[in-house]
């Protein structure tokens, strides 16, 4: 497993790519905050945020379909909000009978709950797309430098950097454990693998998780000792931050002003 598997950066020579990472990071955070603050049912505001995001994607010279496909990964998490359709009071739009209840019990979908659910889906989707746009136009080391540039504590930045670097090592360890388990599993003449019941399988998975934890702990100790022997003092060393140019600040200020105008119209309408 290679470290660049999760690197979503797509290299082009667009103005968004050349923009200072600190400006891009702050703009992306403000956009996500604006999505979170947009009231329920403010469809025009969501449409304006979507158009603004679409313009940025076009300017960035990125494939819209590529970002759309990548954003699908957030869909299962957003669907966790489906319960709000049944829990928020309002006018009943539809009823769904519960299975195995012979029509005795049923769930009611309210209009307010449906509006809240669609709103949550739009907020999540737009926020994920903005995060994907940021990762596609900015390398991960630049994002880390931008986090330090805007004042994120160095301990938090170091933890994120190490997590990104060594999650691939953990992935390799997990793959080795799975290969060892496959090698020790017999296969019958019908092609089916042997094994016990679900409790036995749960014990096997639990043992693998425990072994992975012990191996990870042991490796982290060795890596830390190696880093200390090479002069690591607990702080990541970064190159000198480049000075912010005027046009970077102007672009970031214009973007935030547009977001503020959209939010103002959403709350005043």
């Amino acid at each position: 497993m290679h470290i660049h598997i999760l690197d979503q950066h797509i290299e082009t020579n667009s103005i968004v790519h050349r923009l200072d990472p600190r400006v891009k990071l702050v703009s992306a955070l403000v956009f996500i905050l604006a999505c979170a603050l947009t009231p329920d049912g403010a469809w025009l505001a969501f449409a304006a945020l979507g158009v603004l995001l679409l313009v940025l994607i076009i300017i960035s010279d990125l494939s819209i379909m590529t970002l759309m496909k990548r954003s699908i990964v957030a869909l299962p998490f957003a669907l966790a909000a489906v319960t709000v359709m049944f829990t928020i009071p309002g006018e009943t739009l539809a009823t769904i009978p519960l299975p195995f209840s012979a029509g005795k019990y049923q769930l009611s979908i309210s209009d307010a709950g449906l509006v809240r659910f669609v709103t949550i889906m739009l907020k999540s989707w737009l926020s994920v797309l903005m995060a994907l746009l940021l990762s596609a136009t900015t390398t991960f080391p630049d994002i880390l430098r931008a986090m330090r540039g805007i004042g994120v504590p160095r301990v938090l930045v170091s933890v994120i950097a190490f997590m990104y670097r060594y999650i691939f090592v953990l992935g390799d360890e997990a793959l080795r454990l799975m290969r060892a388990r496959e090698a020790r599993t017999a296969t019958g003449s019908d092609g089916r693998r042997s094994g016990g019941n679900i409790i036995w399988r749960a014990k096997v998975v639990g043992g693998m998780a425990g072994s992975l934890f012990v191996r990870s702990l042991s490796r982290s100790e060795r890596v830390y000792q190696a880093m200390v022997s090479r002069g690591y003092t607990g702080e990541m060393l970064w190159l000198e931050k480049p000075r912010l140019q005027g046009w970077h600040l102007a672009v970031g200020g214009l973007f935030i002003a547009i977001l503020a105008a959209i939010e103002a119209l959403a709350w005043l309408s």
Side-chain angles (χ1 to χ4, degrees), residues 222-234:
R222 294 199 302 271
V223 170
Y224 177 72
Q225 294 299 331
M227 294 177 65
V228 169
S229 66
R230 289 167 173 80
Y232 178 68
T233 60

Side-chain angles (χ1 to χ4, degrees), residues 85 88-95 108-115:
M85 291 193 298
I88 294 181
E91 183 178 350
T92 301
L93 297 179
T95 56
S108 299
I109 301 176
S110 65
D111 55 348
L114 183 60
V115 170

Side-chain angles (χ1 to χ4, degrees), residues 2-35:
H2 198 271
I3 191 172
H4 295 300
I5 289 178
L6 294 182
D7 195 345
Q8 303 294 321
H9 181 254
I10 301 175
E11 185 63 38
T12 64
N13 192 29
S14 69
I15 185 174
V16 179
H17 283 77
R18 296 195 301 270
L19 201 61
D20 190 280
R22 288 166 289 185
V23 175
K24 285 190 284 188
L25 179 60
V26 172
S27 300
L29 293 177
V30 173
F31 182 89
I32 294 173
L33 179 63
C35 289

Side-chain angles (χ1 to χ4, degrees), residues 1-242:
M1 187 177 293
H2 198 271
I3 191 172
H4 295 300
I5 289 178
L6 294 182
D7 195 345
Q8 303 294 321
H9 181 254
I10 301 175
E11 185 63 38
T12 64
N13 192 29
S14 69
I15 185 174
V16 179
H17 283 77
R18 296 195 301 270
L19 201 61
D20 190 280
R22 288 166 289 185
V23 175
K24 285 190 284 188
L25 179 60
V26 172
S27 300
L29 293 177
V30 173
F31 182 89
I32 294 173
L33 179 63
C35 289
L37 295 179
T38 303
D40 293 349
W43 310 124
L44 289 179
F46 286 118
L49 292 172
V51 170
L52 181 60
L53 187 57
L54 179 62
V55 171
L56 289 177
I57 294 174
I58 295 175
I59 295 176
S60 303
D61 198 19
L62 299 176
S63 170
I64 298 176
M65 291 306 299
T66 300
L67 293 182
M68 291 294 180
K69 291 178 181 177
R70 291 179 178 179
S71 66
I72 295 176
V73 70
L75 184 61
F77 301 98
L79 288 177
V82 71
T83 56
V84 300
M85 291 193 298
F86 309 105
T87 56
I88 294 181
E91 183 178 350
T92 301
L93 297 179
T95 56
I96 302 175
L98 291 177
F100 310 112
S101 65
K104 187 177 181 180
Y105 301 102
Q106 57 188 10
L107 295 174
S108 299
I109 301 176
S110 65
D111 55 348
L114 183 60
V115 170
R116 175 68 61 84
F117 173 70
V118 176
T119 300
I120 292 174
M121 293 291 289
L122 286 175
K123 289 181 177 181
S124 304
W125 185 57
L126 291 173
S127 300
V128 169
L129 279 177
M130 174 52 74
L132 291 173
L133 177 62
L134 174 66
S135 63
T137 57
T138 313
T139 61
F140 191 75
D142 284 340
I143 294 177
L144 294 177
R145 293 191 187 96
M147 294 173 67
R148 286 294 296 138
I150 64 175
V152 177
R154 64 173 183 269
V155 175
L156 182 58
V157 176
S158 298
V159 169
I160 296 174
F162 286 133
M163 180 187 66
Y164 180 78
R165 172 63 184 86
Y166 288 102
I167 192 173
F168 307 97
V169 179
L170 294 181
D172 288 336
E173 290 285 357
L175 288 177
R176 277 193 285 271
L177 288 172
M178 293 176 66
R179 280 197 295 267
R181 177 177 176 271
E182 292 291 330
R184 291 173 173 82
T185 303
T187 303
S189 57
D190 56 353
R192 298 179 59 182
R193 293 186 178 276
S194 62
N197 54 25
I198 189 170
I199 297 177
W200 179 85
R201 295 177 184 274
K203 288 181 180 179
V204 172
V205 174
M208 292 174 61
S211 178
L212 179 62
F213 174 76
V214 172
R215 291 189 184 193
S216 304
L217 186 62
S218 175
R219 175 163 292 202
S220 66
E221 288 290 340
R222 294 199 302 271
V223 170
Y224 177 72
Q225 294 299 331
M227 294 177 65
V228 169
S229 66
R230 289 167 173 80
Y232 178 68
T233 60
E235 182 178 6
M236 302 288 289
L237 299 180
W238 306 97
L239 297 176
E240 190 67 23
K241 292 178 294 187

